[in-house]
Amino acid sequence: MKIVVIEDEIRIREGLSRLIEKLDQEYEVVGTAENGQEGYELVCKVNPEVIIADIKMPVMDGLEMLTALYRDGCTSKAVILSAYSEFDYARQALRLGVKEYLLKPIVVSDISEALHHVKEEIRQESARDILVADNLGQVFAGLLWGNMKADAMMEKLLEDRYKIPCKSRYAELCLHLGEHYRENLASAKREMESLLKTRKQLSYVALEEEREHMLVFLLYGYSDSQSLERWLQQEILRVRSRKYEGIGWNGDLLLEDLREGCEQVCRYMEWNISLGDDVLISYPKVTSIQTSPCIYPIEIENQMKIHICASNMQAVEKDFSEFADYFHKDKLYEPKEIKECYVRFLWAMMNVSKETGLLDYEKLEQQTLLEQIMGAKTREELSRAVSTLTDIVGKTETEDSVHLTVKRAQSLIREFYQSGITLEEIAAKLNITPEYLGTRFHKELGVNFSTYIKNFRMAKAKELLIGTQMKLYEIAEKVGYSDPKYFSRVFKESTGQLPGDYRKTHK
């Protein structure tokens, strides 16, 4: 029975940990934490069967932690410790389903009795789960992702009800369906079942794991795990469609290994990024792969910045293609390192695009983009993360509601900004009064004319500072300032940096 102890007093925390493991050989303390926030993260990581937690802790107290955990689907049993005997605490704990509530100082017999009660409750629930399971799929799903235990009772059930001998060996074949999980699930299942049925003496159960976008086939009844793996590698590549994006394998497992085995496959599926989707990602073989140090391709990043500054999005897309190809030539890199390079490259693109006015930050969900990259398991998923950003860059909205007069003024600014054109000169070219143009400009764009043209010139200056080797006085003249010192002052007021410092920061 896996147990975590969450207690801010180190003496109590360590004492309880030592005591618990002496009480029963089935008790295992798999982690400790000193506050509710650390406890929350620990429980999410190790998924214990029992949480022993103090109520009063810094950062996040025990009840807040349990509330958050149960809200997120945690099924661990809880034992609450407290030096406070107020009824209110007990009442809140009861509302959360906590049935064991112990007062400090802790008595050995009390903690022993509380854990015994919890152990018995878990055993009874496991027995009920087994009895209500209608089919073998529900049993194995409970073993892999639910509350069912791979114990002697479960082995007996499998043997009596499903004729699976005790100590049978299992293999897990995992198909990663990615973002098309729902639409491709049925056809991917049919395809794989058709293949597996051609193998004599092989039995299987298909299990769906939507959270990980996985279709898992649990195989049993085979005689040799290695020959089965080789056959699958060969046959899957021969018959597969593109309904799934990656394939994982973990073989020769006992019943009690299934949960951890599936977690291992999920963890290493990202090796599709390095090896490609035509390879069976086999655990534990994948752990011994030799890789090269991954050197970030800074020259491609600099090339990309120049093309963004020139608003050449077609060239930027070619840069991304060259960047992606860089990781799949003659060397093999850790998938984690490849992802970190993608994060760095996309962040560089975001920053330059923002500085040059090509990116509307409000349209970009940065956290979602980061999660997309770091959670990717295939090259295709990394490519989609790139598309998320390139679809936004360079496509900042030009609102149809902007008055035609203002659009014409903007066009003239783009054409004549280098010559220091004024509001009066543009109004004359449009055959309207400067007062009308100024009022309409502010109403439509939210800024006055002088601010707009200054911002436009500063954006052009940023493009030239990042994307060219021009000298500062040349850039000043290029964007409509005859005095380089005045240009530098205006640039610093706008960006907080002198032009030379800005160039160093973004090179």
Side-chain angles (χ1 to χ4, degrees), residues 418-463:
Q418 298 174 336
S419 63
I421 194 167
T422 64
L423 175 67
E424 288 73 17
E425 289 170 330
I426 290 180
K429 288 180 180 290
L430 296 176
N431 199 27
I432 56 176
T433 66
E435 292 77 15
Y436 175 77
L437 178 58
T439 300
R440 175 60 66 180
F441 214 89
H442 188 274
K443 180 179 179 181
E444 296 288 339
L445 301 179
V447 293
N448 59 35
F449 176 85
S450 60
T451 299
Y452 181 88
I453 197 168
K454 181 188 76 172
N455 291 342
F456 187 86
R457 286 173 172 151
M458 291 302 101
K460 290 296 179 182
K462 290 174 183 176
E463 292 178 8

Side-chain angles (χ1 to χ4, degrees), residues 85 113 117 175 181 194 213 343 356:
S85 58
E113 185 178 358
H117 289 164
L175 310 184
Y181 173 83
S194 296
H213 294 167
V343 171
T356 54

Side-chain angles (χ1 to χ4, degrees), residues 177-201:
L177 275 61
E179 68 172 8
H180 301 296
Y181 173 83
R182 292 195 174 191
E183 60 192 86
N184 288 338
L185 177 62
S187 53
K189 184 187 290 187
R190 284 196 302 271
E191 180 181 291
M192 187 54 61
E193 286 180 337
S194 296
L195 173 62
L196 295 175
K197 286 175 182 176
T198 66
R199 182 83 172 186
K200 292 181 180 179
Q201 306 302 317

Side-chain angles (χ1 to χ4, degrees), residues 281-295:
I281 306 302
S282 178
Y283 183 89
K285 293 178 184 177
V286 69
T287 61
S288 59
I289 291 176
Q290 298 297 310
T291 58
S292 301
C294 189
I295 300 172

Side-chain angles (χ1 to χ4, degrees), residues 58-231:
V59 185
M60 178 189 287
D61 69 35
L63 293 179
E64 290 174 328
M65 178 194 70
L66 290 174
T67 300
L69 285 169
Y70 292 149
R71 182 189 61 224
D72 294 343
C74 174
T75 58
S76 304
K77 305 298 181 183
V79 177
I80 286 293
L81 312 176
S82 180
Y84 300 82
S85 58
E86 290 93 333
F87 175 70
D88 189 48
Y89 284 114
R91 184 170 56 189
Q92 291 180 59
L94 289 169
R95 286 175 183 164
L96 290 173
V98 176
K99 296 182 180 178
E100 301 297 332
Y101 185 92
L102 305 178
L103 295 179
K104 296 179 181 178
I106 305 300
V107 179
V108 174
S109 60
D110 289 345
I111 190 69
S112 177
E113 185 178 358
L115 289 174
H116 177 74
H117 289 164
V118 171
K119 178 181 174 181
E120 183 62 21
E121 185 179 351
I122 291 172
R123 189 193 68 78
Q124 290 177 3
E125 286 183 359
S126 179
R128 282 197 301 272
D129 289 342
I130 292 172
L131 290 172
V132 300
D134 291 332
N135 56 56
L136 188 57
Q138 289 183 359
V139 173
F140 280 126
L143 287 167
L144 264 64
W145 306 301
N147 296 321
M148 292 190 183
K149 309 302 176 201
D151 53 17
M153 183 187 300
M154 176 59 73
E155 287 199 326
K156 189 173 188 316
L157 168 98
L158 291 174
E159 187 164 37
D160 292 347
R161 190 185 296 182
Y162 300 106
K163 311 307 177 188
I164 301 176
C166 290
K167 303 306 176 185
S168 287
R169 295 283 173 167
Y170 300 86
E172 293 166 334
L173 178 67
C174 303
L175 310 184
H176 180 64
L177 275 61
E179 68 172 8
H180 301 296
Y181 173 83
R182 292 195 174 191
E183 60 192 86
N184 288 338
L185 177 62
S187 53
K189 184 187 290 187
R190 284 196 302 271
E191 180 181 291
M192 187 54 61
E193 286 180 337
S194 296
L195 173 62
L196 295 175
K197 286 175 182 176
T198 66
R199 182 83 172 186
K200 292 181 180 179
Q201 306 302 317
L202 180 65
S203 299
Y204 66 87
V205 176
L207 306 170
E208 301 169 9
E209 169 58 331
E210 185 169 6
R211 184 184 57 182
E212 293 288 343
H213 294 167
M214 289 274 202
L215 176 59
V216 179
F217 283 86
L218 196 64
L219 314 177
Y220 60 96
Y222 55 87
S223 57
D224 180 34
S225 174
Q226 292 185 351
S227 65
L228 177 59
E229 180 184 347
R230 287 194 297 271
W231 176 77

